[in-house]
């Protein structure tokens, strides 16, 4: 009987893999398609402490399970499998709608890396952010082997520098083909950060085209679902890299006439101009002296910030919803609040933002408000969105050992509400609840739901709950940075003494303990909100 049960279980594990994964072209039916990520980059001379920063919000219904994949050594002539369909799995062992689409030669040795939906950090302080930049449908060739998440995975397994990662990705695309929509990956190492934009080569060729531009060390950059690389300076190899077919494909597909100045975003991006609200807002916030114009045809690829940027500044930008600006979606959601004296006599009135107004209105909410009064809410794509799966801001620091030099400030759900947990390059084990995705259904064992419940309840009366929730966010942010200062010094000393195993144990416990503390407090917030709003919202 036991053997029969095991056989049946094995069949269940095998059968889903035969289901065809969602095609890349089918993604246009996803309501979040093309509006799904934001990546901010900071060069080492633009940051307050000399760290290089890249970052990522994974916005949409993507998997929220994550784990640390160990580095391995392999014998000669081994191969590794390449997958499609991994972005929406429920666990690391879930193979439903996930297909093996090919194999490539395995490296002799691979590095450990943080396996998120879009893999992001390895043990050698190589980090990657990502944003989908879509591009024209006619460039997509689904016969290409590689989707962007697999290219990120392999680069983190095999590379230690951004330049090597770009070269490897370019080589894989040329040899095996790129089968995804237009994508931007923001690749950083301990010394520099690059923006790499990739597109398919069209239906007739299984290949791809790409260009990469380096963010100057004293600049900041942003990618938010729009191609931004413009003129390619062929002779400036310290700042530009590109595929050998980048110009010929544009000409062959009649996307460039070969006469006017070539701009990558114009040839491949399918946009009127290489920015929208997020790029403008972030660059303008960091360099207000430039007086950037939202109505301009083009913004600088990157800018030198007026003041050096700390990682906490970047974290704050990821909470941004434009409140208090002309793009504020709550500015017309007001009510009259009457004032009374001790005798309960009306003595005046104030017009205030409605207690239930918040900067993440759903389409239904906007439609209702605009039906009652046209123009009440003009939708703006904010940096922080309620439909975020997870986000991270990654620092890379060359003055520290790799084990603690790479540091990801990670959060689940809405980045404007959730606390951030530190995960280091040397971390080898994550909390148990990180093993489960909570996007397909409610799962008590999935980490995201430990934050999402309080976040969503808070949103229902945001003007009343925001102050308290932001105090908790600030508390854990302060705690994270103050604890890390002492903790990193301790880990560094252990590594210098050759006590790597002990250092690793402490790294794992640090993330686990910090996660547990934040989850407990968000559970308390959830209970508090139910107590306050249990009779109605």
């Amino acid at each position: 009987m036991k053997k029969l049960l095991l056989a049946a279980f094995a069949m269940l594990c095998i059968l889903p893999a035969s289901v065809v994964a969602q095609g890349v072209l089918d993604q246009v039916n996803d309501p979040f398609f093309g509006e799904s990520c934001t990546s901010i980059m900071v060069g080492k001379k633009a940051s307050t402490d000399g760290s290089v920063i890249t970052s990522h919000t994974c916005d949409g219904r993507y998997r929220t399970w994550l784990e640390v994949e160990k580095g391995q050594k392999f014998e000669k002539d081994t191969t590794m499998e390449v997958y499609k369909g991994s972005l929406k799995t429920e666990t690391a062992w879930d193979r439903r709608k996930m297909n093996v689409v090919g194999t490539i030669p395995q490296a002799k040795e691979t590095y450990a890396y943080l396996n998120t939906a879009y893999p992001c950090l390895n043990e050698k302080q190589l980090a990657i952010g990502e944003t989908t930049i879509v591009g024209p449908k006619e460039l997509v060739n689904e016969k290409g082997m590689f989707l962007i998440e697999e290219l990120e995975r392999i680069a983190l397994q095999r590379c230690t520098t951004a330049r090597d990662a770009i070269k490897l990705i370019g080589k894989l695309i040329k040899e095996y083909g790129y089968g995804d929509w237009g994508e931007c990956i923001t690749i950083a190492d301990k010394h520099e950060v690059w923006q790499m934009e990739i597109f398919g080569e069209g239906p007739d060729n299984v290949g791809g085209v790409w260009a990469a531009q380096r963010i100057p060390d004293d600049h900041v950059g942003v990618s938010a679902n729009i191609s931004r690389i413009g003129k390619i300076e062929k002779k400036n190899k310290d700042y530009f890299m590109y595929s050998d077919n980048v110009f010929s494909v544009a000409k062959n597909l009649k996307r460039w006439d070969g006469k006017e100045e070539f701009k990558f975003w114009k040839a491949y991006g399918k946009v009127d101009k290489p920015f929208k609200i997020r790029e403008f807002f972030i660059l303008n916030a960091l360099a207000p002296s430039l007086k950037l114009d939202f109505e301009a045809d083009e913004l600088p690829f990157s800018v030198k910030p007026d003041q050096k940027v700390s990682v906490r500044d970047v974290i704050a930008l990821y909470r941004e919803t434009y409140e208090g600006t002309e793009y504020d979606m709550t500015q017309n959601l007001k009510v009259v609040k009457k004032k009374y004296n001790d005798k309960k006599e009306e003595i005046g009135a104030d017009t205030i933002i409605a207690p239930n107004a918040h900067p993440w209105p759903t389409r239904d909410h906007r439609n209702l408000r605009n039906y009652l009064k046209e123009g009440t809410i003009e939708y703006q794509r904010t940096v922080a969105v309620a439909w975020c799966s997870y986000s991270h801001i990654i620092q890379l620091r060359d003055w520290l050992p790799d084990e603690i030099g790479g540091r990801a400030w990670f959060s689940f759900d809405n980045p404007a509400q959730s606390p951030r947990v530190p995960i280091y390059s040397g971390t080898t084990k994550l909390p148990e609840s990180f093993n489960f995705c909570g996007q397909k259904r409610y799962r008590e064992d999935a980490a995201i739901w430990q934050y999402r419940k309080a976040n969503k309840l808070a949103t229902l009366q945001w003007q009343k709950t925001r102050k308290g929730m932001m105090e908790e966010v600030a508390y854990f942010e302060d705690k994270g940075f103050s604890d890390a200062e002492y903790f990193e010094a301790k880990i560094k000393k252990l590594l210098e003494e050759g006590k790597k195993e002990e250092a690793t144990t402490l790294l794992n416990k640090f993330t686990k303990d910090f996660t547990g503390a934040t989850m407990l407090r968000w559970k308390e917030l959830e209970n508090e909100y139910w107590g306050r709003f249990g009779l109605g919202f």
Side-chain angles (χ1 to χ4, degrees), residues 9-193:
F9 177 75
M11 286 300 294
L12 287 172
C13 292
I14 293 169
L15 285 173
S18 65
V19 179
V20 178
Q22 179 192 42
V24 171
L25 294 174
D26 294 334
Q27 291 177 12
V28 293
N29 299 317
D30 188 325
F32 306 113
F33 180 68
E35 289 284 338
S36 55
C37 305
T38 307
S39 179
I40 300 172
M41 298 152 280
V42 183
K44 63 180 180 181
K45 292 181 180 178
S47 66
T48 53
D49 62 355
S51 61
V52 180
I53 298 172
T54 188
S55 48
H56 171 60
T57 61
C58 186
D59 301 328
R61 295 185 185 276
Y62 298 98
R63 68 165 167 95
T64 59
W65 66 263
L66 61 152
E67 64 179 3
V68 177
E69 291 281 355
K70 295 180 181 180
Q72 299 182 66
K73 293 184 178 180
F74 299 90
E75 299 295 329
K76 293 181 179 180
D77 301 324
T78 57
T79 60
M80 67 167 289
E81 295 177 332
V82 177
Y83 299 94
K84 287 185 179 180
S86 66
L87 283 179
K88 298 188 178 182
T89 50
E90 200 165 5
T91 63
W93 50 91
D94 179 9
R95 290 296 182 267
R96 289 169 292 181
K97 296 187 179 180
M98 187 170 161
N99 293 336
V100 176
V101 292
T103 61
I104 65 171
Q106 181 59 275
K108 293 181 180 179
E109 182 177 5
T110 61
Y111 302 116
Y113 71 97
L114 184 56
N115 183 9
T116 45
Y118 293 93
C120 62
L121 175 66
N122 76 7
E123 63 178 293
K124 299 296 183 180
Q125 295 198 64
L126 179 67
I128 305 178
E130 177 273 347
T131 74
T132 302
I133 52 178
V134 186
K137 181 179 179 180
E138 56 266 28
L139 290 180
V140 179
N141 189 327
E142 291 191 283
K143 294 179 182 178
M145 182 186 294
F146 281 103
L147 301 182
I148 196 65
E149 60 271 18
E150 285 292 86
L151 290 170
E152 292 180 58
R153 175 172 74 98
I154 294 169
L156 291 171
Q157 286 180 320
R158 302 185 181 194
C159 301
T160 61
T161 70
R163 296 185 191 220
D164 283 348
I166 292 167
K167 291 174 185 176
L168 174 61
I169 289 170
K171 180 180 178 182
L172 292 172
I173 289 170
K174 185 173 183 178
E175 188 167 352
Y176 300 99
Y178 178 72
D180 216 334
W181 287 93
E183 286 280 355
C184 171
I185 48 179
T186 57
I187 311 176
D189 57 34
K190 293 178 282 189
H191 305 291
E192 57 190 23
V193 56

Side-chain angles (χ1 to χ4, degrees), residues 332-350:
N332 297 322
L333 303 179
K334 295 178 180 178
V335 295
V336 174
K337 183 179 181 181
K338 295 181 179 179
K339 295 189 289 186
Y340 299 89
N341 61 18
D342 293 340
K343 297 179 182 180
K344 296 185 179 180
E345 297 170 333
E346 185 177 335
I347 58 174
D350 292 325

Side-chain angles (χ1 to χ4, degrees), residues 195 197 211-213 227-233 240 246-247 261-268 274 298-301:
Q195 185 163 324
E197 298 179 358
Q213 185 171 349
S227 176
R228 302 208 66 243
I229 295 176
K231 180 182 177 181
I232 295 174
E233 299 176 16
F240 291 88
V246 69
F247 302 108
E261 182 180 54
F262 178 87
K263 290 188 177 181
F264 188 83
W265 68 262
K266 187 175 288 189
Y268 296 106
E298 199 165 351
L299 292 181
F301 174 73

Side-chain angles (χ1 to χ4, degrees), residues 326-334 361 365-380:
E326 62 183 299
Y327 310 109
D328 185 351
M329 286 187 283
T330 70
Q331 60 186 308
N332 297 322
L333 303 179
K334 295 178 180 178
H365 182 83
R366 298 195 306 271
N367 288 343
L368 172 61
R369 295 284 188 172
N370 290 331
Y371 174 79
L372 295 173
K373 184 179 179 181
E374 188 175 348
T376 300
I377 302 177
E378 182 180 348
Y379 176 72
Q380 302 290 349

Side-chain angles (χ1 to χ4, degrees), residues 242-268:
Y242 51 92
S243 59
D244 55 15
N245 62 349
V246 69
F247 302 108
S248 60
V249 168
K251 289 178 72 173
N252 292 340
L253 296 178
K254 301 188 186 313
R255 307 199 64 83
W256 175 55
D257 62 11
K259 298 176 183 178
E260 68 173 348
E261 182 180 54
F262 178 87
K263 290 188 177 181
F264 188 83
W265 68 262
K266 187 175 288 189
Y268 296 106

Side-chain angles (χ1 to χ4, degrees), residues 366-401:
R366 298 195 306 271
N367 288 343
L368 172 61
R369 295 284 188 172
N370 290 331
Y371 174 79
L372 295 173
K373 184 179 179 181
E374 188 175 348
T376 300
I377 302 177
E378 182 180 348
Y379 176 72
Q380 302 290 349
R381 206 303 191 174
T382 52
V383 180
V385 292
W387 32 276
C388 180
S389 300
Y390 67 85
S391 63
H392 55 72
I393 294 94
I394 301 178
Q395 294 175 272
L396 308 164
R397 300 171 292 176
D398 63 0
W399 64 92
L400 290 171

